[in-house]
Amino acid sequence: MLHPQVQQALDAISSRPIENVFLVACGGSSALMYPSKYFLDREAKTIAADLYSSNEFIHRNPVRLGSKSLVILCSHSGNTPETAEAAKFARSKGALTVSLTNEPASPLAEASEHVIKYSYGPDAPAFETNYSIMYQLVSGLLYVKEENAKFHRMIHSLQGLQAAYDRAKIQFADQAKAFAASNKDEKVIYTMASGANYGVAYSFAICILMEMQWIHSHAIHAGEYFHGPFEILDKTVPIIQLLGLDETRPLEERALHFSRQYGEKLIVIDAKEFDLSGIDEDLKGYISPLVLNFVLRQFANELADARNHPLSTRRYMWKVPY
Amino acid sequence: MLHPQVQQALDAISSRPIENVFLVACGGSSALMYPSKYFLDREAKTIAADLYSSNEFIHRNPVRLGSKSLVILCSHSGNTPETAEAAKFARSKGALTVSLTNEPASPLAEASEHVIKYSYGPDAPAFETNYSIMYQLVSGLLYVKEENAKFHRMIHSLQGLQAAYDRAKIQFADQAKAFAASNKDEKVIYTMASGANYGVAYSFAICILMEMQWIHSHAIHAGEYFHGPFEILDKTVPIIQLLGLDETRPLEERALHFSRQYGEKLIVIDAKEFDLSGIDEDLKGYISPLVLNFVLRQFANELADARNHPLSTRRYMWKVPY
């Protein structure tokens, strides 16, 4: 069954014309919207989609933002000032605002017309977590606006996500430990992906490696790799290569094929190894980034342990003015 | 006067309905389209714009790509296989294709309906170079489709670009040398910008630093900085901070303000210091990234000299199969 607050948002969406969708958040909350941008690009026949960091969205001030716009925002704490401000800005332009947050008593929730509280933490059912809620919302949008036939199967497939996570947790436990042991002293670790998976690579680079581990990083787009970044590769450079199941997989495979010839520190997480039973075949490409992200979180946990640098360590965030 | 091949493309554009624009290229040729995406977002009332790396575009296969699409492609040599393939793919969907290249006898040119040859090199007039041609084309698009009032002033302002480059060359010569002397031994150098300038930061990171100098890099979005990347900052981390003149300048200023408190290796290039006489006041934000890019090329030249690592050095590109 659909999350009831998603249903409420869809009811509001169905009562008005929507010409475009803006996906607006910062950092990790923005990264979790990338699969939805991919989904909308591939599926939405009448609705354009754009994704912006919250303050970029406000200052860029897209001229097509208006009463026929849906703005989807996300902040875990609901306290991200730029994102709450973006909700106010979008409403001032007449747009419909729907926000995802873990904290319904927050500035973002107060600033938004519709609020969806997602679940969080080790015991949260995968169906109720942020990535899943995003897909419920955008596939629901295309169902109510365009009768997209994937909606009901998407909901059904997302109900199989927890089992996929549980299986992946066991399956990748040893690889996560091995990754941490091999990479704990690295000063630079790149990530790479394309398509629906790029946001997961981006999130691991900026939130896990740079923010939580103070390791230099950059999420390389696998299609861009051969137009600059690949010249950095030698036998000392670690790259985490994600391989998803979406239509852009050939880009990721090509990058890996090259890296394997000239690099020696490649970490590969391949969605083909996942047991995705219960998830519809033609939705596995969309849902793979969610499982890739889940697996990478284990890699992050193990890396933090091996480096004795807890993921909660910060020097600036929430500690000094910025 | 408008570039005659731009005029031909605009004649073709005016004869058919355009609902969306796809900006499609790889690496540096993609980066030079970012300002046009910013321009279209802010100015285009009826036309949606998206920017994709060529192979991502093909495999993502946006469902709204069709006979009401304009696809603008770019490859300097015209030989980039993914971009030539993207032109064929776009035509197979019924889209109108316009390609920028320095080589009109090339696979990309052959695959495209309209070809615009831009000038290149130290003696090329700025008005005829790739960044300028892009603005002629997208502002022309909005003129023929939406009577955008900035078009004629954009053309006039671009005619003032060469003089702005000439002045900047003299003005920043010493700073470029000082940058090279201070940073020649760095292993990691970040770049940062937002808005119309982000593509320039991206290009310097992936094409100059990673590709041509084998220095680790990442173009940080100034609005994302505080949601992860800033935790990497300490007194040893060099960041090239670009400050433009567009509406997102407050994001770049905020990032710099923070970095100055906790970092000691900041390189600032501020478009406020440019002499942009001859460029219309309300277009300076759009045109600043072109001058920032020009100035950064001097920084690249000096860095290559100081490191005794010519910008033409490659280990893989054009040398091994990939």
Side-chain angles (χ1 to χ4, degrees):
Chain A
M1 201 192 89
L2 200 59
H3 188 298
Q5 290 173 324
V6 173
Q7 186 60 60
Q8 286 169 27
L10 294 177
D11 291 345
I13 287 166
S14 59
S15 72
R16 55 196 283 173
I18 300 293
E19 288 184 351
N20 48 47
V21 176
F22 294 93
L23 306 170
V24 177
C26 295
S29 293
S30 174
L32 69 86
M33 293 176 161
Y34 280 60
S36 293
K37 162 73 173 149
Y38 186 81
F39 179 85
L40 290 168
D41 280 357
R42 286 190 52 81
E43 302 281 342
K45 292 174 184 161
T46 62
I47 298 170
D50 255 318
L51 183 152
Y52 296 109
S53 189
S54 304
N55 230 357
E56 175 82 27
F57 172 71
I58 296 168
H59 288 81
R60 184 175 288 230
N61 187 13
V63 67
R64 293 181 309 109
L65 172 66
S67 62
K68 293 178 180 170
S69 302
L70 168 64
V71 180
I72 303 175
L73 308 105
C74 181
S75 162
H76 185 67
S77 64
N79 261 327
T80 311
E82 302 98 307
T83 309
E85 199 57 42
K88 289 180 203 162
F89 171 72
R91 286 183 76 173
S92 78
K93 298 281 183 176
L96 180 65
T97 50
V98 177
S99 287
L100 279 63
T101 181
N102 189 238
E103 182 47 69
S106 64
L108 175 61
E110 278 165 38
S112 308
E113 283 157 287
H114 298 275
V115 179
I116 304 169
K117 182 197 182 317
Y118 61 76
S119 301
Y120 179 76
D123 299 326
F127 184 76
E128 297 173 16
T129 56
N130 46 22
Y131 274 97
S132 165
I133 297 286
M134 278 302 301
Y135 269 151
Q136 293 179 45
L137 187 59
V138 298
S139 67
L141 163 71
L142 295 195
Y143 178 66
V144 300
K145 289 300 176 195
E146 302 183 355
E147 299 179 353
N148 187 293
K150 294 192 172 73
F151 171 60
H152 291 107
R153 292 189 299 102
M154 176 64 90
I155 301 304
H156 177 260
S157 291
L158 289 170
Q159 283 161 345
L161 191 58
Q162 184 64 53
Y165 282 0
D166 293 342
R167 292 186 294 257
K169 186 172 186 173
I170 296 164
Q171 189 183 352
F172 285 87
D174 291 344
Q175 288 179 50
K177 277 189 202 303
F179 160 78
S182 304
N183 291 278
K184 64 185 169 53
D185 299 319
E186 297 295 346
K187 306 295 181 210
V188 183
I189 302 174
Y190 288 102
T191 62
M192 187 149 41
S194 59
N197 315 300
Y198 181 75
V200 174
Y202 177 69
S203 181
F204 198 79
I206 71 154
C207 298
I208 302 296
L209 294 174
M210 296 178 82
E211 173 184 330
M212 301 185 190
Q213 293 295 303
W214 307 347
I215 293 173
H216 294 296
S217 190
H218 172 184
I220 300 169
H221 185 278
E224 291 283 278
Y225 188 43
F226 301 102
H227 303 279
F230 77 149
E231 283 283 335
I232 203 76
L233 179 70
D234 64 24
K235 293 177 179 178
T236 72
V237 177
I239 300 179
I240 301 175
Q241 177 69 56
L242 306 183
L243 294 171
L245 298 173
D246 68 29
E247 296 72 13
T248 73
R249 181 179 171 96
L251 281 66
E252 296 165 335
E253 287 178 337
R254 181 185 173 208
L256 179 60
H257 179 75
F258 181 87
S259 299
R260 279 190 165 144
Q261 292 176 70
Y262 301 97
E264 289 192 349
K265 292 190 172 176
L266 306 171
I267 305 101
V268 181
I269 307 181
D270 188 346
K272 267 196 181 162
E273 295 175 20
F274 298 161
D275 178 351
L276 298 178
S277 319
I279 292 167
D280 278 32
E281 196 58 35
D282 68 337
L283 301 180
K284 286 181 179 173
Y286 294 132
I287 289 178
S288 291
L290 284 57
V291 187
L292 286 167
N293 188 65
F294 178 85
V295 168
L296 273 172
R297 189 69 191 203
Q298 294 177 272
F299 280 53
N301 289 338
E302 295 292 349
L303 186 65
D305 284 354
R307 299 179 79 237
N308 196 22
H309 184 119
L311 294 175
S312 57
T313 310
R314 298 290 187 284
R315 43 187 161 190
Y316 311 123
M317 192 178 273
W318 312 309
K319 290 190 157 180
V320 303
Y322 51 90
Chain B
M1 201 191 88
L2 201 59
H3 188 298
Q5 291 174 324
V6 174
Q7 186 59 60
Q8 286 169 26
L10 293 179
D11 292 344
I13 287 167
S14 59
S15 72
R16 55 197 283 175
I18 300 292
E19 288 183 352
N20 47 47
V21 176
F22 295 93
L23 305 171
V24 176
C26 295
S29 292
S30 175
L32 68 87
M33 294 177 160
Y34 280 61
S36 294
K37 162 74 172 149
Y38 186 82
F39 179 84
L40 291 168
D41 280 356
R42 286 190 51 82
E43 302 281 343
K45 291 174 185 162
T46 62
I47 298 170
D50 255 319
L51 184 152
Y52 295 109
S53 190
S54 304
N55 230 355
E56 175 82 29
F57 172 71
I58 297 168
H59 288 79
R60 184 177 287 231
N61 187 13
V63 68
R64 294 180 311 110
L65 172 66
S67 60
K68 293 178 180 171
S69 301
L70 167 64
V71 180
I72 303 175
L73 307 105
C74 181
S75 163
H76 184 68
S77 65
N79 262 327
T80 311
E82 302 98 308
T83 309
E85 200 56 43
K88 289 180 202 161
F89 171 72
R91 286 183 76 172
S92 78
K93 297 283 181 175
L96 180 64
T97 49
V98 177
S99 287
L100 279 63
T101 181
N102 188 239
E103 183 46 71
S106 64
L108 175 60
E110 279 166 38
S112 308
E113 284 157 285
H114 298 274
V115 179
I116 304 170
K117 182 198 182 313
Y118 60 77
S119 301
Y120 178 76
D123 299 327
F127 184 76
E128 298 174 15
T129 56
N130 46 22
Y131 274 97
S132 164
I133 297 287
M134 278 301 301
Y135 270 151
Q136 293 178 44
L137 187 58
V138 298
S139 67
L141 163 71
L142 295 196
Y143 178 67
V144 301
K145 289 301 177 195
E146 302 182 357
E147 301 180 351
N148 186 293
K150 294 193 173 73
F151 172 59
H152 291 106
R153 293 189 298 103
M154 176 66 91
I155 300 305
H156 177 261
S157 292
L158 289 170
Q159 284 161 345
L161 191 58
Q162 185 64 54
Y165 282 0
D166 293 343
R167 292 186 295 257
K169 186 171 187 175
I170 296 164
Q171 188 183 354
F172 284 88
D174 291 344
Q175 287 179 48
K177 277 189 203 303
F179 160 77
S182 304
N183 290 279
K184 65 185 169 53
D185 299 320
E186 297 295 347
K187 307 294 180 210
V188 182
I189 303 176
Y190 288 102
T191 63
M192 185 150 40
S194 58
N197 315 302
Y198 182 76
V200 174
Y202 178 70
S203 181
F204 198 80
I206 71 154
C207 298
I208 303 296
L209 294 174
M210 296 178 82
E211 174 184 329
M212 301 185 189
Q213 293 295 303
W214 306 349
I215 293 172
H216 295 294
S217 191
H218 172 184
I220 301 169
H221 185 279
E224 291 282 277
Y225 188 42
F226 301 102
H227 302 279
F230 77 150
E231 282 284 335
I232 203 75
L233 179 70
D234 65 24
K235 293 177 179 177
T236 72
V237 177
I239 301 178
I240 300 174
Q241 177 68 58
L242 305 183
L243 294 171
L245 297 174
D246 69 29
E247 297 71 14
T248 72
R249 181 178 171 97
L251 282 66
E252 296 165 336
E253 288 178 336
R254 181 185 172 207
L256 178 60
H257 179 74
F258 181 86
S259 299
R260 280 191 165 143
Q261 292 176 69
Y262 300 97
E264 290 191 347
K265 293 190 172 177
L266 305 172
I267 305 100
V268 181
I269 307 180
D270 187 348
K272 268 197 181 161
E273 295 176 17
F274 298 161
D275 178 351
L276 298 177
S277 318
I279 292 167
D280 279 30
E281 196 57 37
D282 69 334
L283 300 180
K284 286 181 179 172
Y286 293 133
I287 288 179
S288 291
L290 283 58
V291 187
L292 286 168
N293 188 64
F294 178 85
V295 168
L296 273 171
R297 190 67 191 205
Q298 294 177 270
F299 280 53
N301 289 337
E302 295 292 349
L303 186 65
D305 285 353
R307 300 180 78 236
N308 197 22
H309 184 119
L311 294 175
S312 58
T313 310
R314 299 289 187 285
R315 44 186 159 191
Y316 311 122
M317 193 178 273
W318 312 309
K319 289 190 159 181
V320 303
Y322 50 91

